[in-house]
Amino acid sequence: MIRRCFQVAVRLGRHRVLPGVPQVLPRLNPNSAFGSSTDSLVSRFCLKKTDLKDYALPNASWCPDMLNLYQEFLEKTKTDGWIKLPSFKSNRDHIQGLKLPSGLAVASDKSDWRIFTRCIQVEGQGYEYVIFFHPSKKKSICLFQPGPYLEGAPGFAHGGSLAAMMDETFSKTAYLAGEGLFTVSLNIRFKNLIPVGSLAVLKVDVEKIEDQKLYMSCIAQSRDQQTVYAKCSGVFLQLQLEEESSQ
Amino acid sequence: MLRSCASRLRTPGALRGRLGGAPPPARDSRPPPRSFSSEVIYVDHSLPNPSWSKDMRLLFDQFMKKTEDGSWKRLPSHKSVSPQRTEEVKTFFPDAKPIKEHMSQAQLFPRSLEEGLGFEYAMFHNHVENRTVCIFQGGPYLQGVPGFLHGGAIATMIDSTVGMCAVLAEGVVMTANLNINFRRPIPLCSVVVINSQLDKVEGRKLFVSCNVRSVDEKTLYSEATSLFVKLDPKKSLT
């Protein structure tokens, strides 16, 4: 089923998978539904008891807008069913005990690899962000403050940095909402530039899940919603991770 | 020929800069003008360094050969935008608030990580065909799915490459749309070639497309189309 879906995805574009290229996706049991419930995915992902540093916590570089909105959402985690997602240095830390299906997993994996959106660890200089996820509504809010190392036009965040933040928010939402793993497409319409050091609020919704793909939309705005920075639609491919066999 | 006045909102700064390594035929062989502060030297990062893999160096040499007959040019790349460029861009944002003290360390995003850890790249441009090619090696701090390059990292490089193509054609531009189809995930630390092409210009709109392939061209990793808008100095953006 996966192979057929992957080929459908490829056929949607202009190019076919070239002959002779090894099959990327392994054969999966077509009867195994993507059945891991959102709750089990969330609890595994969120690792309550851990020594790992959580980067999605306030620090001195956060602007007042970001701090205020963070507090608002923290309140909502107690009453309205929202969850604050932890953010570790590597995606591997979020999926401990799980691995990519054989055939896809990379042979050597150095421990110093880092998730892109946490590549700049100096406080306030790169991506400052926190994602709140609502399991039953399948939506996310990302509070994003771009630092001076993300500059494109002088004084404004690089378009690529917003694209990356949107892709990352899609990625976490897709995984928790339905084991979405790989980006299939991103369609971004930029409207306004984000000043470095200011807050952008990204709202992500899962529109539908169909043919092993998750379709999501995102709007990035200023806190008062008066300025729209960009709108984006994204599609992610579902792929189930496997349990790591005990070694 | 490169437009010496071409400004770019989102990507590498000064088109003037020190050209190191095997010198391609340069239009301007005088030493670069001194910047405002005598301490600042604009280092060109689009040159081989110890973190470049064999594939990356081979590709670089292949493209440097192409610059010998003048049809292709290697584009220098710096960590930050030159003061002159900053002034040029500011005319489009008259209301922009002055950057605070602690932000004076601003760096161009793809150049803000240490050697070998993030984006290692070099761009080449063919002014006759309006094509910009970027050879790119994504380092260990650009991870997405474990073992693979983050979608946002390749999006950043695609935006930078198509953007450069647009800037060199028409001057100060802004990304309006970016549409990327990911065909296969890119293994972390591998080298890819991003080929971008200016497809057409309609008034102030520029249509640029690109594809991302493996070094041997056998694997197509992604394809993208983009729309850029040439800024009108008479109209304020904010």
Side-chain angles (χ1 to χ4, degrees), chain A residues 13 15 18 24 91-92 113-114 116 148-153 158-160 167-168 183-188 190 193, chain B residues 9-10 106-107 109 112 140-144 146 150-152 156 160 175-180 182-184 218 223:
Chain A
H15 289 262
L18 299 168
V24 172
N91 264 339
R92 199 164 276 293
W113 287 1
R114 245 185 235 177
F116 176 43
Y149 284 10
L150 302 189
E151 221 184 55
H158 195 285
D167 182 53
E168 177 57 20
T183 320
V184 171
S185 67
L186 284 177
N187 188 330
I188 312 172
F190 294 96
L193 296 177
Chain B
L9 282 187
R10 281 188 158 73
Q107 295 189 32
F109 179 32
S112 57
Y141 284 13
L142 306 187
Q143 176 158 247
H150 197 285
T156 298
S160 295
T175 323
N177 289 358
L178 187 58
N179 194 336
I180 308 174
F182 300 84
R183 304 270 173 229
R184 311 178 89 83
K218 289 199 178 127
E223 290 173 296

Side-chain angles (χ1 to χ4, degrees), chain A residues 16-222:
Chain A
R16 288 183 168 275
V17 173
L18 299 168
V21 172
Q23 189 59 40
V24 172
L25 295 173
R27 201 185 298 265
L28 287 182
N29 180 357
N31 293 324
S32 74
F34 286 95
S36 294
S37 72
T38 297
D39 286 337
S40 70
L41 284 166
V42 167
S43 61
R44 197 145 188 189
F45 179 92
C46 287
L47 280 191
K48 291 269 161 29
K49 290 197 176 109
T50 175
D51 291 333
L52 291 166
K53 176 168 173 172
D54 180 357
Y55 287 92
L57 289 169
N59 62 55
S61 72
W62 285 26
C63 65
D65 270 345
M66 185 138 167
L67 285 166
N68 290 340
L69 212 47
Y70 174 79
Q71 287 306 321
E72 262 184 52
F73 274 93
L74 216 52
E75 283 307 307
K76 295 190 191 191
T77 62
K78 297 170 191 155
T79 51
D80 284 353
W82 286 88
I83 295 175
K84 185 198 91 75
L85 299 185
S87 176
F88 303 133
K89 202 177 79 165
S90 165
N91 264 339
R92 199 164 276 293
D93 295 327
H94 285 287
I95 53 166
Q96 289 183 18
L98 295 169
K99 65 182 173 88
L100 287 167
S102 51
L104 253 187
V106 172
S108 71
D109 182 6
K110 307 193 178 89
S111 59
D112 63 347
W113 287 1
R114 245 185 235 177
I115 188 178
F116 176 43
T117 44
R118 294 290 175 202
C119 62
I120 296 162
Q121 291 196 306
V122 182
E123 240 174 49
Q125 299 294 85
Y127 292 92
E128 288 294 338
Y129 70 95
V130 53
I131 302 176
F132 291 88
F133 174 66
H134 199 293
S136 53
K137 293 187 193 169
K138 296 207 195 305
K139 50 201 265 184
S140 298
I141 298 271
C142 172
L143 309 181
F144 170 43
Q145 178 183 299
Y149 284 10
L150 302 189
E151 221 184 55
F156 297 95
H158 195 285
S161 73
L162 179 58
M165 198 66 254
M166 286 172 148
D167 182 53
E168 177 57 20
T169 311
F170 278 148
S171 161
K172 295 296 181 278
T173 311
Y175 178 72
L176 294 172
E179 294 177 284
L181 208 59
F182 287 107
T183 320
V184 171
S185 67
L186 284 177
N187 188 330
I188 312 172
R189 281 92 61 205
F190 294 96
K191 309 284 180 197
N192 284 291
L193 296 177
I194 306 174
V196 163
S198 69
L199 173 69
V201 182
L202 280 63
K203 291 186 184 157
V204 166
D205 281 279
V206 178
E207 306 286 342
K208 66 177 178 184
I209 303 178
E210 201 178 79
D211 292 338
Q212 270 76 54
K213 289 198 286 288
L214 288 104
Y215 295 79
M216 293 165 287
S217 62
C218 175
I219 176 165
Q221 299 171 313
S222 56

Side-chain angles (χ1 to χ4, degrees), chain B residues 3 130 162-177 197-209 225-231:
Chain B
R3 289 185 193 203
N130 273 319
V162 294
M164 180 57 84
C165 199
V167 157
L168 292 175
E170 292 286 327
V172 186
V173 295
M174 206 167 122
T175 323
N177 289 358
Q197 171 81 53
L198 178 66
D199 294 323
K200 71 175 169 190
V201 180
E202 260 176 27
R204 286 184 20 226
K205 293 190 197 170
L206 290 90
F207 297 85
V208 189
S209 62
T225 56
S226 63
L227 172 66
F228 284 81
V229 174
K230 187 173 153 81
L231 295 185

